[in-house]
Amino acid sequence: MANQWFEERYGIRARSQTIFCSPCAGHAREYKELGGSLLQIDLTNTQEYCLLYSSTVYDFLEITEEVKDLSDEAEIICWLDSKNYQKVYNIEDLPQGFRGEVMLYCKEYDVRNI
């Protein structure tokens, strides 16, 4: 349902076509501890990309705590609508001090292990 919501508003199936990132290494480390990888993404040579984020969402998984019935489409849409997601085309356009989840959409990128 979330993929469809993001696609209708931003043209991107954000939960399956993006890389989940954070400008906060501490936030990203939480996922490394669960078996993921901690990588730094370099967008310097990337021609086009966009970022989707909400200044009120630290981690999309908050939905599991805030939505009582995850099978209720109306409740999920209401939650998504209330989060004021934004689409920006430059990492510099994220709010200063933002530490939450960012969904990165691009065709290519460079990474390095941290």
Side-chain angles (χ1 to χ4, degrees):
M1 285 181 246
N3 257 339
Q4 183 178 345
W5 184 90
F6 281 108
E7 186 173 38
E8 289 171 0
R9 283 151 186 83
Y10 304 105
I12 299 166
R13 296 181 67 77
R15 301 310 294 172
S16 62
Q17 292 182 312
T18 65
I19 302 166
F20 304 124
C21 306
S22 176
C24 175
H27 184 198
R29 274 191 197 91
E30 294 172 21
Y31 285 92
K32 182 178 183 182
E33 293 168 6
L34 296 173
S37 298
L38 185 59
L39 305 170
Q40 181 176 357
I41 296 176
D42 181 1
L43 296 172
T44 306
N45 297 320
T46 302
Q47 296 295 319
E48 291 183 33
Y49 69 91
C50 70
L51 305 162
L52 295 168
Y53 76 97
S54 167
S55 59
T56 63
V57 176
Y58 179 71
D59 191 312
F60 188 85
L61 293 179
E62 293 168 12
I63 194 171
T64 62
E65 297 169 5
E66 297 177 12
V67 172
K68 293 177 183 160
D69 182 359
L70 290 172
S71 65
D72 184 338
E73 184 174 346
E75 192 174 356
I76 291 171
I77 290 170
C78 183
W79 185 85
L80 288 163
D81 286 340
S82 75
K83 297 306 176 182
N84 194 32
Y85 274 91
Q86 303 290 313
K87 182 179 182 179
V88 296
Y89 295 92
N90 189 313
I91 196 163
E92 301 298 323
D93 293 334
L94 291 175
Q96 184 143 354
F98 179 73
R99 296 286 181 242
E101 177 183 88
V102 178
M103 295 171 280
L104 167 64
Y105 179 77
C106 62
K107 294 192 190 254
E108 58 185 45
Y109 55 92
D110 294 318
V111 297
R112 88 183 154 123
N113 283 315
I114 296 180

